[in-house]
Amino acid sequence: MKALLSLIPLNLIAALMVLAQGFGLIHLSHFTFLLSVVLIFTLSLEMIKSAAFALLGSASWIDFIMSLLLLLAILGYMIYLYLTKGVISPSEWWLVAEAQLMDVVAGFYITVTNARRDIGVEH
C-alpha cells in the first residue's frame, strides 16, 4: 500500500488547493504565494522520488505515467473551464500546470536515461 501511495503525484495537493479556493473553501490574501511555496516543496520531493524510482527500474515508468496523467487532467480541466464558462483559467492553474510539466519532463528524462542504462546504450 505504501508503494502505491508513493506513485501518486504530490502536485495533486496544489491542484486540490486551487480547486478548494475556486469553490470558496479557502480565503487567503496571499494564496498565490502559499501555492508557490507548496509547489516548490512538492516539486522538490517529486524530483527526489523520481531519482529514487530510477534505481527500481520499471517503477520510474509508472511514476512518469502518473505524472503525465495528472498533467493531462489539469490541462483538460483548464480547457473545460474555457469551453463551458468562456473564461481563461486563473493564474494559479497555470502555476500548477507549469510545475506539473516540469515534473513530467524530469520524470521522462530519468525514465529514458534509466531505460538506456538497462539496455546498455551509451552516448
Side-chain angles (χ1 to χ4, degrees):
M1 185 67 172
K2 184 179 177 184
L4 291 177
L5 288 177
S6 66
L7 291 174
I8 296 173
L10 294 175
N11 291 339
L12 184 63
I13 296 168
L16 293 175
M17 283 177 58
V18 174
L19 272 178
Q21 193 250 356
F23 287 121
L25 300 175
I26 298 176
H27 301 286
L28 296 173
S29 59
H30 300 293
F31 179 74
T32 305
F33 176 73
L34 176 67
L35 182 66
S36 299
V37 170
V38 169
L39 283 171
I40 290 170
F41 179 71
T42 58
L43 193 59
S44 300
L45 289 177
E46 280 289 326
M47 296 303 111
I48 294 168
K49 188 172 75 168
S50 294
F53 279 144
L55 301 174
L56 298 177
S58 62
S60 61
W61 282 102
I62 297 171
D63 183 53
F64 166 69
I65 290 171
M66 294 293 285
S67 296
L68 183 63
L69 288 176
L70 180 60
L71 177 64
L72 292 176
I74 291 168
L75 293 175
Y77 184 72
M78 291 170 68
I79 292 170
Y80 168 78
L81 283 179
Y82 180 74
L83 293 177
T84 59
K85 297 182 180 178
V87 296
I88 296 176
S89 301
S91 61
E92 292 86 7
W93 278 114
W94 291 101
L95 278 174
V96 173
E98 179 185 11
Q100 190 59 31
L101 179 63
M102 286 190 286
D103 179 31
V104 167
V105 169
F108 179 75
Y109 178 76
I110 289 171
T111 301
V112 169
T113 304
N114 190 30
R116 289 172 53 99
R117 183 196 67 215
D118 288 348
I119 60 174
V121 176
E122 297 297 325
H123 294 286

